């Protein structure tokens, strides 16, 4: 009996040791408590056993807690360690904190370097603030990394001292940083591609002889990756300390020359969709390419909209600038009748800088419309247009916040079109995202369109592509696609003017998943003095993917007795 009891005691003690020591920290805020627990290597407030499998000694616990407090500026705390039924209780009285006092940072550089000087101006050692050794070390490392990135490959600290005066509760920083020589770009070697090296060079932000800057090299690699011509880009650097240069080798793996792509999908606005395209990415070493494609949209058993096109793209001398020429033929079943349109379009797309993009285009088209009453009308028109896009961020597909503005102006005249399709039109779109915190966002969008044209000519001659409609997935959810516009004999004809807006609140409830509440309003109309906005509310979920969000929404129109509608869209938030 005694032996059994003794064995039970040993077993219970062993299990308790395996669990470690539970510790409760009192008297400090959450941030300081977390730092203490990190220093103690605790998990869920349990200090692990020592390497010998024994509980940590009180002296070890107190020493590590003192070290954690010193790291945050508290050098003279009062610590008391006691026990309760759960384990240890560490009670802390912080006392006075050591604060930043004098900061002396000397830069010994041959020339003024804005990136280094700006970084020094933003140092975290603000007089009167409690010191933080982690911030001190991080800033020191940041300065060294910035120097390396700016081509100061021999930069070093001649003096780096942190002087603590515990009696005065003051800390003084005393640094001298020697920049050394700024290295320059040496030889640039391009290999592995059949495309012209002149074309590759147009995407580079670097050239031989310029000052080395790591940001320029990274930007060059990213620009080549985004060009759409290559599978992979590998950049290697070799330093010559004697010549104080860095040679750059860019190894490129070209994308496949040919691409065959099929498309099968469904959209709540466009219905079933079936498509096929063939692309030649390298017609020549200047990366000219063509795409031949055919799509069947709004697919049904007995009918479908048909769109066939041939497109030829020519990269221009400056990276990301393109000249695109396209011929297309479209058969579309609309409420007013069946239209057949043959179009020739030439478009010049230019990237002005990382945020601004412009497009100049001219469209020449012949459109034939056959109504249900077998009335056939034919239009021939030429429409020049100009579009400007602004993004407040350089990565709109992954933007958490930011805004976008798109402005389009198009026109035609009696000299360009037959019959009298003379008009001036503007189409303005804006989107904005506010990140309220790490999980909540507020999204707003608005669209405004206006057409200056005689109403009689608009109703009779305006091509369907340039009439305004509201309603649908990306307009006023809760209403059928393009169902909001002036109506004649139950047929939506499209309007001269348009206004729509939406407000959405979404919440990140799981990785890559958001839940949203939204309200939309809008309409297309012919007269600003006599117009009405249709409204809807709804909710939905968003799955965040590399190509943008996949949105599944359910919306209810607030005007009339309409059923809930489901909407599915894919694309970036901006």
């Amino acid at each position: 009996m005694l032996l059994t009891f003794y064995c039970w005691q040993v077993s219970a003690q062993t299990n308790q040791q395996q669990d470690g020591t539970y510790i409760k920290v009192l008297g400090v805020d959450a941030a300081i408590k977390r730092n203490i627990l990190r220093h103690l290597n605790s998990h869920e407030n349990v200090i692990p056993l020592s390497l010998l499998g024994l509980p940590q000694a009180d002296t070890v616990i107190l020493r590590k807690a003192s070290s954690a407090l010193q790291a945050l500026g508290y050098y003279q705390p009062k610590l008391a360690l006691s026990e309760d039924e759960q384990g240890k209780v560490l009670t802390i009285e912080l006392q006075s904190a050591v604060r930043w006092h004098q900061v002396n940072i000397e830069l010994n550089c041959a020339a003024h370097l804005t990136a280094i000087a700006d970084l020094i101006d933003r140092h975290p050692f603000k007089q009167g603030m409690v010191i933080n050794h982690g911030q001190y070390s991080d800033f020191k490392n940041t300065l060294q990394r910035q120097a390396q990135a700016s081509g100061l490959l021999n930069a070093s600290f001649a003096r780096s001292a942190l002087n603590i005066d515990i009696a005065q509760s003051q800390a003084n920083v005393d640094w001298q940083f020697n920049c050394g020589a700024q290295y320059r770009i040496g030889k640039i070697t391009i290999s592995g591609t059949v495309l012209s090296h002149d074309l590759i060079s147009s995407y580079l932000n670097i050239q031989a002889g310029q000052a080395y800057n790591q940001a320029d090299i990274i930007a060059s690699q990213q620009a080549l990756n985004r060009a759409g011509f290559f599978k992979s880009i590998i950049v290697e650097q070799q330093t010559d300390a004697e010549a104080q240069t860095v040679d750059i080798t860019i190894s490129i793996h070209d994308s496949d020359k040919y691409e065959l792509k099929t498309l099968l999908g469904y959209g709540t606005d466009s219905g079933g969709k079936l498509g096929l395209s063939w692309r030649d990415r390298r017609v020549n070493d200047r990366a000219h390419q063509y795409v031949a494609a055919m799509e069947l949209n709004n697919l049904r058993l007995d009918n479908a909209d048909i769109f066939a096109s041939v497109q030829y793209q020519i990269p221009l001398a400056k990276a990301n600038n393109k000249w695109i020429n396209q011929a297309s033929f479209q058969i579309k079943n609309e409420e007013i009748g069946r239209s057949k349109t043959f179009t020739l379009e030439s478009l010049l797309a230019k990237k002005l800088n990382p945020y601004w993009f412009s497009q100049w285009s001219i469209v020449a088209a012949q459109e034939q419309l056959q109504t249900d009453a077998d009335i056939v009308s034919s239009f021939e028109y030429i429409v020049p247009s100009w579009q400007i896009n602004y993004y407040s961020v350089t990565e709109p597909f992954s933007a958490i916040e930011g805004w976008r503005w798109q402005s389009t102006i198009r026109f035609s005249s009696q000299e360009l079109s037959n019959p009298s399709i003379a008009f001036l039109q503007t189409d303005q779109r804006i989107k904005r995202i506010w990140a309220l915190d790490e999980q909540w966002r507020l999204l707003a969008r608005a669209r405004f369109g206006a057409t200056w044209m005689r109403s009689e000519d608009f109703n009779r001659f305006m091509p369907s592509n340039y009439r305004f409609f509201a309603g649908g997935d990306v307009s006023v959810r809760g209403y059928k696609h393009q169902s909001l516009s002036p109506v004649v004999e139950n047929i939506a004809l499209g309007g001269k003017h348009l206004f729509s807006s939406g407000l959405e609140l979404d919440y990140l409830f799981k990785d890559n998943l958001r839940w949203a509440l939204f309200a939309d309003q809008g309409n297309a109309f012919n007269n600003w003095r006599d117009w009405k906005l249709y409204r809807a509310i709804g909710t939905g979920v968003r799955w965040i993917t590399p190509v943008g969000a996949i949105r599944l929404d359910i919306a209810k129109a607030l005007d009339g007795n309409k059923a809930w509608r489901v909407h599915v869209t894919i694309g970036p938030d901006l």
Side-chain angles (χ1 to χ4, degrees), residues 268-269 335 470-473 476 478-484 565 567:
T268 48
D269 281 351
E335 289 191 14
D473 296 344
V476 185
Y479 293 88
K480 185 180 176 182
H481 177 57
Q482 293 191 348
S483 62
L484 301 179
R565 290 186 65 87
H567 299 270

Side-chain angles (χ1 to χ4, degrees), residues 114-129:
T114 302
I116 300 292
D118 289 348
L119 183 62
I120 294 297
D121 290 341
R122 300 193 307 270
H123 70 74
F125 317 130
K126 305 305 179 185
Q127 188 174 31
M129 292 183 61

Side-chain angles (χ1 to χ4, degrees), residues 19 57 59 63 92 97 109 116 151-152 155 165 194 199 256 274 310-311 315 384 393 423 463 497 518 536 566 569:
D19 291 338
T59 54
R63 186 182 73 247
I92 301 171
C109 302
I116 300 292
L152 308 175
D165 186 339
V194 300
L199 174 67
D256 295 335
L274 184 65
V310 177
Q311 185 183 97
V393 294
F423 70 92
H497 313 303
F518 59 85
V566 176
T569 55

Side-chain angles (χ1 to χ4, degrees), residues 321 325 339 361 373 390 442 468 563:
N321 293 348
N325 296 281
S339 65
S361 73
Y390 172 77
L442 182 65
F468 287 120

